[in-house]
Amino acid sequence: MTTTVLKFGGTSVATPEVLERLARIVAGVKGDRVVVVSATAGTTNALIGAARAAAAGDVTGAEATMARLETAHEELLRKAAGAQTDDVSATLRDLAQRTTALLRSVALLRECSARSQDAIASFGEMASSHLVAAALRSRGIDARPVSATGIVVTDDAFGNAAPAFEETYARANEVLVPMLRAGGVPIVTGFIGATGEGVTTTLGRGASDYTAAILAAALRADACLIYTDVSGVMSADPRIVPSAKPLPQLSYAEAAELSYFGAKVLHPRAVLPAIELGIPVRILNTFAADDPGTTIVSEAVADGSVVKATTSLGGLGLLTVQGAGMSGIPGFAAKVFDTTAAEGVSVLMISQASSENSICIVVPAETVDRLKGALERMLAKELAHHDVERVAVERPIAVVAAVGDGMRGTPGVAARVFGALGRLGVNVVAIAQGSSELNISFCVAEADQAKAVRAVHDEFHSSRATQPSASGTLAP
Ligand code: ADP
Ligand code: ASP
Ligand code: MG
């Protein structure tokens, strides 16, 4: 008997029509099936918005959001599952009431901890697991909602919790295998887990993919199918480059680089647990289920391509520590990174000029001011002596990354990337190349983000640009 884990993202559970598609996909898979669901599209954002509103004292706004979410889920339940759903309706109401109560206490305290926010955000996946299970039951599938709080055991890093794999794998088998033996289809909440003490956590934004891979690994599944609203990982975000094409195959390393640098289609940590066990991960389209999608494989397969995909991440800031006297100070870079670590800021990209006269770090835009202050305090002496001239800030900026295993050992890739940018007049603020040689990443002003992605994508993907043109310019 084969076991398949199927994960459906937010847009794949958000309308009666798409739930019909979901049901057909699940019904079409032979053997044991475990379904992982996200919150319906927009729900997690709305819940986080409500939590922030409550923390700011706007209890009416937060309550209104919950009322809207409850009505929307009720309506979807009625349309997608029809009659005989009174008990599910009651469950949804109960979940909404509990979440509203949490929001009220946040409003009273005027403070929303990451722990409270996780409890509030969990409404989305909890509600959708009941909803999807009801929709499937109304079509004759023995679907049963399962909360991942009883399966995925995590640490207490609320908002971005890390699973304890051994315990999680054991619990997944305890909870899911009996259901599968009885012919049931568990509909498990993505995104959420719980600490050893049972306090609800979340695994980070977009982490339902991760939940799917974790369960696939736990059950030694034969496949992990990630259903979304595009036909696989594409050569660029289709919202930025409408002509982007789905990639039939991607190595694990390529997929990881792409998602790290903003390809939202897959969560950065998602595939590792499955790939480690050799379980194939496929990205498929709920709205075009016959499309071949993308298969993530453990090793890259040479297909003649150089840059497979171009991706980008906005909302960032660049801090540059500059000064002619820096080169003489031992351990200078370490001091800078100790400061970022002490401030709890995650660094997305680093580059150091070979002259050692500057270090650039890319961090989330909202952390820039705090980090600048901390660096200036740490470097007070060097600034006073002019060994360090200044800590300069640029924002908002975006990181753009060109990713592909074929770049390894192919000369002239960087020249083509920067040539293409230059021809379109995109100013590059900083450059870094991953040591893996799997990507070239660089910073541009956020206003140039889309233009830069298109320039690089066209250089490597437009039919007339598969080879660099002799003149160095694109044919008209
Ligand atoms: P889901 O809710 O199904 O997890 P997401 O919104 O998280 O869906 O991810 C799918 C979206 O990722 C697509 O609709 C697309 O806009 C975006 N995306 C960004 N980069 C890429 C890419 N390189 N290939 C495919 N989709 C991408
Ligand atoms: N609902 C969660 C989010 O929006 C998890 C997911 O969709 O994967 O981040
Ligand atoms: Mg997603």
Side-chain angles (χ1 to χ4, degrees):
M1 182 84 103
T2 56
T3 304
T4 308
V5 175
L6 301 95
K7 177 259 171 176
F8 293 90
T11 44
S12 300
V13 293
T15 64
E17 296 74 33
V18 77
L19 285 168
E20 174 68 41
R21 291 178 187 276
L22 179 156
R24 260 185 274 145
I25 291 167
V26 173
V29 173
K30 292 199 183 63
D32 286 340
R33 295 152 294 178
V34 173
V35 173
V36 174
V37 291
S38 288
T40 57
T43 296
T44 308
N45 283 347
L47 289 162
I48 292 172
R52 296 213 173 115
D58 179 12
V59 73
T60 325
E63 284 173 351
T65 300
M66 275 319 295
R68 178 174 65 74
L69 290 177
E70 188 184 343
T71 311
H73 281 81
E74 274 287 338
E75 214 175 290
L76 187 52
L77 174 69
R78 206 166 13 84
K79 288 187 181 151
Q84 261 130 50
T85 51
D86 287 355
D87 53 332
V88 185
S89 235
T91 306
L92 288 180
R93 213 171 314 127
D94 185 48
L95 284 169
Q97 271 166 9
R98 270 192 275 167
T99 310
T100 306
L102 285 171
L103 287 165
R104 287 193 184 123
S105 37
V106 165
L108 275 178
L109 294 167
R110 294 283 174 106
E111 195 249 321
C112 187
S113 62
R115 174 176 168 148
S116 307
Q117 184 170 302
D118 279 358
I120 291 162
S122 73
F123 169 83
E125 271 68 14
M126 292 295 289
S128 89
S129 71
H130 285 278
L131 185 69
V132 172
L136 289 174
R137 277 198 304 275
S138 77
R139 289 165 178 82
I141 297 172
D142 181 12
R144 307 169 189 193
V146 178
S147 170
T149 51
I151 298 178
V152 180
V153 185
T154 72
D155 62 12
D156 62 358
F158 295 99
N160 199 19
F165 287 99
E166 233 170 90
E167 229 176 315
T168 299
Y169 288 1
R171 288 216 202 170
N173 280 280
E174 273 164 40
V175 175
L176 301 175
V177 171
M179 278 188 206
L180 296 170
R181 291 238 170 89
V185 178
I187 313 298
V188 187
T189 56
F191 182 50
I192 65 176
T195 64
E197 289 76 44
V199 183
T200 301
T201 55
T202 64
L203 310 177
R205 293 307 306 268
S208 293
D209 302 336
Y210 195 23
T211 308
I214 291 168
L215 297 186
L219 299 171
R220 302 284 193 270
D222 298 276
C224 179
L225 311 179
I226 310 277
Y227 279 90
T228 181
D229 56 5
V230 284
S231 293
V233 180
M234 306 178 87
S235 52
D237 185 340
R239 288 168 302 186
I240 296 180
V241 183
S243 64
K245 298 274 180 310
L247 304 165
Q249 246 182 19
L250 213 52
S251 72
Y252 160 68
E254 288 169 327
E257 296 273 346
L258 277 175
S259 50
Y260 180 78
F261 286 111
K264 193 188 164 208
V265 66
L266 195 65
H267 186 275
R269 283 183 287 178
V271 282
L272 189 56
I275 288 294
E276 272 180 345
L277 294 175
I279 301 166
V281 175
R282 296 181 65 195
I283 321 293
L284 295 161
N285 191 346
T286 313
F287 299 85
D290 294 330
D291 283 1
T294 300
T295 303
I296 315 253
V297 294
S298 47
E299 294 296 325
V301 184
D303 62 358
S305 68
V306 181
V307 170
K308 269 198 192 145
T310 307
T311 184
S312 66
L313 191 62
L316 303 172
L318 177 76
L319 285 158
T320 309
V321 185
Q322 278 171 321
M326 275 167 51
S327 48
I329 305 168
F332 187 80
K335 269 186 159 183
V336 170
F337 296 120
D338 283 348
T339 308
T340 61
E343 290 293 314
V345 172
S346 65
V347 177
L348 274 104
M349 201 176 112
I350 304 159
S351 87
Q352 179 165 27
S354 54
S355 62
E356 288 187 50
N357 280 346
S358 73
I359 292 180
C360 298
I361 52 179
V362 176
V363 295
E366 66 276 10
T367 64
V368 164
D369 291 330
R370 181 158 56 90
L371 194 54
K372 181 176 194 281
L375 285 169
E376 283 170 347
R377 281 193 298 281
M378 192 273 289
L379 297 169
K381 213 170 67 202
E382 287 84 354
L383 282 162
H385 293 161
H386 297 283
D387 288 334
V388 172
E389 275 321 314
R390 66 173 155 254
V391 182
V393 163
E394 223 164 310
R395 87 183 133 184
I397 64 146
V399 169
V400 178
V403 175
D405 196 71
M407 278 164 53
R408 212 190 296 269
T410 306
V413 183
R416 283 178 70 185
V417 168
F418 296 112
L421 292 165
R423 284 192 295 280
L424 287 181
V426 176
N427 181 42
V428 176
V429 185
I431 301 172
Q433 174 162 21
S435 54
S436 61
E437 278 190 67
L438 219 66
N439 91 70
I440 291 178
S441 43
F442 56 90
C443 295
V444 295
E446 202 182 56
D448 286 336
Q449 181 176 354
K451 200 172 169 189
V453 170
R454 281 187 215 116
V456 178
H457 185 270
D458 285 357
E459 173 65 22
F460 292 95
H461 292 275
S462 86
S463 52
R464 56 196 155 82
T466 44
Q467 292 298 319
S469 53
S471 66
T473 52
L474 287 177

